[in-house]
């Protein structure tokens, strides 16, 4: 199937827009690669320090004849998604030896959990942790002793931060190795119902705790289709995972076999072999367009609208919000995974998963098939799925028919004809809205504003019974300059209650919602943000706001130019829970539309 005309146009626009920046980036990567494998250029003293604790691998490392893999790990045992990585270094070292190479843990990066920090002060460090992760990975790889890199990470900011690092060290062959989702627990829709009942006082905290523990019950990624699992989809469709690797459960023989295969594969891509494939050749404009297509086709996380531009800039590529909007206009929504449906990612995987999805999108001409991947040239091999045959791993053709059309549908019979995200523009600024879980009748709302400067104030008004009619809740001073742009998913139960009571409700904010945002229409990432003097800073209670997700507009009838911007005291955001350490990021962060980044 020829490439869709809109996808081709978007790609050509990105290539032209990025030409100077991309050329300079690739020149840097070529210069970095020209010296050949790094270890050969270190002094004997440098090398002795690097190999001193490497045990049985010491002689192999000193000989420079075998590739050495640097492991950058986000392991901790506080995050269920990252706990399985505890045993991966041993698996990887063994696999490297079997493949004739070596592997060393180059360093660790922080990995915080938005589920733990949701509604807490620590959430204000969340987005900036992406930049810290990129910096920490850079420190890990700065030792110049590695011929390739393996990145172990799953969740929200972790994968984007690691991709920024992988692009920065783009002369190194790279593979991302996932941990996989936890097995299914309490269904996500049942958990959400308990949350709503708790918000209205119908159940107590003990009942809420039982539901939460039954949903988040073991090692692996949370099973709803939030940012963590959107990241895994992204790494596969962009060719940085092995085919079919994203959604295999932790601790299974297939998971371990895929980890070993990833090690063997990336060691074969170094300059010491005949198939040198640096990360910079995978992370090109076509790969990022493929990532956007996957995001739209699956109704993925709104956070990726921030992360993808930041990742792309690290690779010398400039993405704009209109790119996402154009891709969404021609990409059908093919998957229904909670919160866009009742299924979780295990059900999605069982219904055909990534292999089926990629095959359908290739057939529709919506993906660039002629890309470079860690598995080799071409995306067609990502229509295959991994299987174990008497302990030997192989790939077989994936399903060509959906095994459950309530979860996964062909491109010709989608859940909706366009993707799950839409750009919004108007006199209130520029932002995005996730529409994949929003009913048609809720996609247009015109109502008076209720203006708040903190999420706690919104919840206090809800608990006091003050939100009793149609309204657009404006939550401002939640952008990256103001307080680090925390996720506001903690508002979802209360707003869902209001919607279920028959009120016409929407949220407008310069903050983030999350990959878990659902049925309440939410205009998010508004730029310029209120703290930078954006239009939200001039709104007042009662101003009429119209949000039209179908037309892509967000406007008010109020005369904002005649008003001075609000200037609340934001000093409380500057201290406590480590926030004082992050002032540097708040001072130099860019707009959300370009990734809300401080480094790129």
């Amino acid at each position: 199937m020829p490439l869709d005309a809109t996808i081709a146009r978007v790609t050509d626009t990105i290539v032209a827009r990025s030409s100077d920046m991309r050329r300079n980036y690739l020149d840097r990567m070529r210069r970095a690669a020209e010296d050949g494998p790094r270890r050969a250029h270190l002094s004997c003293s440098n090398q002795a320090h690097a190999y001193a604790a490497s045990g049985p691998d010491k002689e192999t490392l000193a000989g420079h004849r075998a590739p050495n893999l640097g492991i950058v790990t986000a392991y901790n045992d506080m995050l269920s998604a990252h706990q399985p990585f505890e045993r991966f270094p041993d698996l990887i070292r063994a696999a490297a030896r079997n493949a004739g190479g070596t592997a060393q843990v180059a360093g660790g990066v922080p990995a915080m959990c938005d589920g733990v920090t949701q509604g807490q002060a620590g959430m204000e460090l969340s987005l900036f942790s992406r930049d810290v992760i990129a910096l920490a990975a850079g420190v890990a790889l700065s030792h110049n002793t590695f011929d390739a890199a393996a990145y172990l990470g799953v969740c929200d900011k972790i994968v984007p931060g690691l991709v920024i690092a992988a692009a920065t060290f783009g002369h190194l062959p790279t593979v991302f190795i996932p941990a996989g989702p936890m097995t299914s627990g309490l269904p996500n829709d049942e958990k959400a119902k308990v949350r709503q009942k708790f918000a209205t006082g119908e159940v107590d905290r003990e009942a809420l705790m039982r539901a939460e523990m039954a949903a988040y019950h073991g090692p692996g990624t949370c099973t709803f289709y939030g940012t963590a699992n959107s990241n895994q989809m992204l790494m596969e469709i962009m060719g940085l995972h092995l085919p079919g690797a994203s959604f295999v459960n932790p601790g299974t023989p297939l998971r371990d076999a895929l980890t070993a295969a990833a090690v063997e594969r990336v060691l074969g891509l170094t300059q010491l072999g005949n198939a040198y494939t640096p990360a910079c050749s995978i992370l090109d404009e076509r790969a990022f367009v493929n990532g956007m297509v996957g995001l739209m086709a699956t109704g993925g996380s709104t956070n990726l609208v921030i992360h993808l531009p930041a990742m792309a800039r690290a690779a010398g590529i400039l993405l704009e919000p209109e790119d996402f909007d154009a891709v969404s206009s021609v990409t059908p929504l093919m998957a229904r995974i909670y919160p866009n449906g009742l299924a979780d990612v295990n059900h999605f995987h069982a219904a055909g998963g990534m292999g089926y999805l990629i095959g359908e999108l290739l057939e529709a001409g919506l993906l660039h098939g002629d890309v470079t991947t860690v598995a080799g040239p071409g995306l067609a091999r990502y229509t295959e799925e991994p299987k174990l045959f008497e302990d030997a791993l192989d790939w077989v053709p994936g399903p060509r028919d959906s095994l459950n059309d309530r979860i996964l549908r062909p491109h010709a019979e989608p859940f909706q004809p366009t993707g799950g995200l839409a750009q919004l523009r108007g006199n209130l600024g520029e932002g995005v809205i996730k529409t994949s879980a929003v009913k048609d009748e809720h996609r247009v709302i015109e109502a008076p504003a209720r203006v708040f400067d903190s999420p706690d104030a919104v919840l206090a008004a809800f608990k006091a019974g003050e939100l009793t009619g149609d309204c657009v809740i404006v939550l401002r001073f939640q952008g990256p300059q103001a307080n680090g742009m925390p996720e506001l998913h903690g508002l979802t139960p209360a707003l869902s209650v209001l919607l279920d009571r028959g009120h016409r409700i929407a949220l407008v904010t310069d903050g983030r919602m999350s990959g878990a945002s659902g049925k309440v229409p939410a205009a998010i990432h508004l730029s310029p943000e209120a703290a930078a003097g954006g239009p939200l800073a001039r709104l007042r209670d009662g101003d009429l706001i119209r949000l039209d997700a179908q037309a892509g507009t967000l406007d008010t009838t109020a005369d904002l130019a005649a008003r001075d911007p609000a200037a609340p005291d934001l000093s409380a955001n500057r201290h406590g829970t480590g926030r004082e350490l992050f002032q540097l990021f708040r001072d130099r962060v860019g707009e959300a539309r370009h990734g809300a980044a401080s480094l790129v």
Side-chain angles (χ1 to χ4, degrees):
M1 174 69 72
L3 190 65
D4 177 89
T6 297
I7 299 299
R9 175 178 57 79
V10 169
T11 307
D12 291 343
T13 299
I14 294 170
V15 169
R17 182 194 301 140
S18 310
S19 58
D20 290 343
M21 189 174 176
R22 178 68 175 173
R23 182 173 56 252
N24 292 336
Y25 167 77
L26 290 175
D27 285 345
R28 293 197 307 274
M29 295 305 104
R30 278 191 288 269
R31 289 195 299 272
E34 281 173 358
D35 288 339
R38 306 280 88 189
R39 283 172 294 131
H41 304 283
L42 299 180
S43 72
C44 293
S45 177
N46 294 150
Q47 293 184 62
H49 279 84
Y51 312 151
S54 57
D57 296 323
K58 189 179 296 186
E59 293 304 317
T60 304
L61 285 164
H64 304 160
R65 295 179 299 274
N68 186 35
L69 178 64
I71 305 166
V72 179
T73 176
Y75 161 73
N76 66 48
D77 60 9
M78 186 269 296
L79 273 70
S80 63
H82 291 81
Q83 187 274 339
F85 287 138
E86 182 174 16
R87 53 191 291 270
F88 274 40
D90 285 339
L91 293 173
I92 291 170
R93 281 188 284 264
R97 292 180 191 122
N98 288 338
T102 57
Q104 295 176 288
V105 174
V109 302
M112 65 180 294
C113 180
D114 290 355
V116 177
T117 58
Q118 194 67 240
Q120 307 297 317
M123 177 59 84
E124 296 179 18
L125 279 61
S126 175
L127 180 58
F128 292 144
S129 76
R130 180 190 65 194
D131 295 35
V132 175
I133 288 160
L135 290 168
V139 171
L141 295 174
S142 67
H143 298 89
N144 262 353
T145 61
F146 306 108
D147 304 296
Y151 296 92
L152 313 183
V154 175
C155 288
D156 195 344
K157 275 68 54 185
I158 294 91
V159 166
L162 292 175
V163 172
I164 290 171
T168 304
F169 288 81
H171 62 288
L172 292 177
T174 290
V175 67
F176 277 67
I177 303 178
M182 70 176 68
T183 55
S184 300
L186 180 74
N188 287 294
D189 60 317
E190 292 185 27
K191 174 196 67 182
K193 290 175 184 176
V194 176
R195 285 179 174 179
Q196 288 184 224
K197 288 181 178 180
F198 179 75
T200 59
E202 296 175 62
V203 300
D204 61 14
R205 183 170 293 277
E206 185 178 346
L208 177 65
M209 189 65 178
R210 283 198 303 270
E212 298 288 353
M213 294 290 282
Y216 306 118
H217 64 91
T221 317
C222 306
T223 60
F224 64 84
Y225 195 53
T227 310
N229 286 314
S230 295
N231 282 340
Q232 303 314 296
M233 176 281 300
L234 195 72
M235 291 300 92
E236 187 155 341
I237 209 166
M238 291 179 67
L240 290 168
H241 279 176
L242 288 185
S246 296
F247 300 120
V248 176
N249 300 125
T252 61
L254 181 57
R255 174 85 278 154
D256 289 353
L258 283 164
T259 298
V263 173
E264 181 179 357
R265 180 60 189 166
V266 76
L267 290 179
L269 301 179
T270 72
Q271 288 179 281
L272 292 170
N274 298 317
Y276 176 52
T277 307
C280 63
S281 67
I282 295 174
L283 291 169
D284 66 6
E285 297 90 344
R286 296 167 301 170
F288 281 99
V289 171
N290 283 352
M292 286 190 278
V293 171
L295 185 67
M296 302 307 169
T298 58
S301 169
T302 56
N303 282 322
L304 269 300
V305 181
I306 292 177
H307 295 321
L308 272 166
M311 291 187 274
R313 280 176 175 256
I317 297 167
L318 298 173
L319 302 184
E320 295 287 352
E322 52 264 33
D323 301 327
F324 290 86
D325 198 48
V327 168
S328 182
S329 72
V330 296
T331 304
L333 180 67
M334 295 168 54
R336 284 285 193 201
I337 321 169
Y338 187 85
N340 308 325
L342 298 181
D344 66 23
V345 292
N346 292 311
H347 303 136
F348 165 76
H349 185 63
M354 292 300 299
Y356 175 79
L357 180 84
I358 290 172
E360 283 290 311
L361 291 170
L362 284 170
E363 185 176 290
L366 292 168
L367 290 175
H368 290 278
D370 57 340
V371 291
T372 301
T373 77
V374 295
L379 198 61
R381 65 193 62 216
Y382 283 77
T383 65
E384 299 176 345
E385 61 179 343
K387 297 284 187 181
L388 277 177
F389 298 96
E390 296 182 356
D391 297 327
L393 179 66
D394 200 1
W395 277 262
V396 301
R400 298 308 306 135
D401 296 302
S402 171
L403 301 180
N404 189 334
D405 64 6
R406 293 174 297 173
I407 301 170
L408 193 55
R409 289 186 181 176
H411 68 84
E413 300 174 19
F415 292 102
Q416 65 184 45
T418 58
L421 293 171
Q423 185 181 22
L424 296 172
R425 284 175 169 168
N427 62 11
L428 289 179
E430 182 178 296
V432 298
I433 183 170
K434 182 174 179 177
T435 59
S436 52
V438 177
K439 293 181 179 178
D440 290 345
E441 61 266 30
H442 296 149
R443 295 187 182 185
V444 179
I445 176 173
E446 187 171 281
R450 284 296 311 273
V451 182
F452 301 90
D453 293 345
S454 75
D456 287 345
V458 177
L459 293 175
F462 169 76
K463 291 176 181 177
E466 297 174 10
L467 304 176
T468 57
D470 296 352
C471 68
V472 174
I473 294 170
V474 176
L475 179 52
R476 60 193 182 183
F477 298 104
Q478 304 301 307
Q481 286 185 35
N483 62 353
M485 207 177 186
E487 279 189 359
L488 305 169
H489 179 55
L491 298 177
T492 299
L495 298 183
S496 297
V497 168
L498 296 175
L499 198 68
D500 291 345
R501 287 174 178 170
H503 302 310
R504 296 186 62 75
I505 295 292
L507 175 69
V508 173
T509 182
D510 50 9
R512 296 183 295 136
M513 269 310 263
S514 91
S517 56
K519 63 185 181 181
V520 178
I524 58 178
H525 308 172
L526 264 288
S527 296
E529 64 174 286
L536 294 189
R538 291 175 166 82
L539 280 173
R540 297 174 182 167
D541 281 349
D543 288 344
L544 190 66
I545 293 177
R546 180 177 176 85
L547 189 165
D548 188 335
Q550 296 170 341
T553 58
L554 180 64
D555 295 286
T556 180
T557 57
D559 182 9
L560 301 182
R563 301 175 182 171
D564 292 328
D569 181 5
L570 301 178
S571 61
N573 301 331
R574 301 296 187 253
H575 301 281
T577 324
R579 287 176 287 180
E580 51 268 62
L581 302 175
F582 284 71
Q583 186 64 46
L584 173 69
F585 295 98
R586 290 191 294 270
D587 287 345
R588 59 175 288 119
V589 68
E591 288 188 331
R593 69 192 305 272
H594 289 142
S598 302
L599 300 181
V600 292

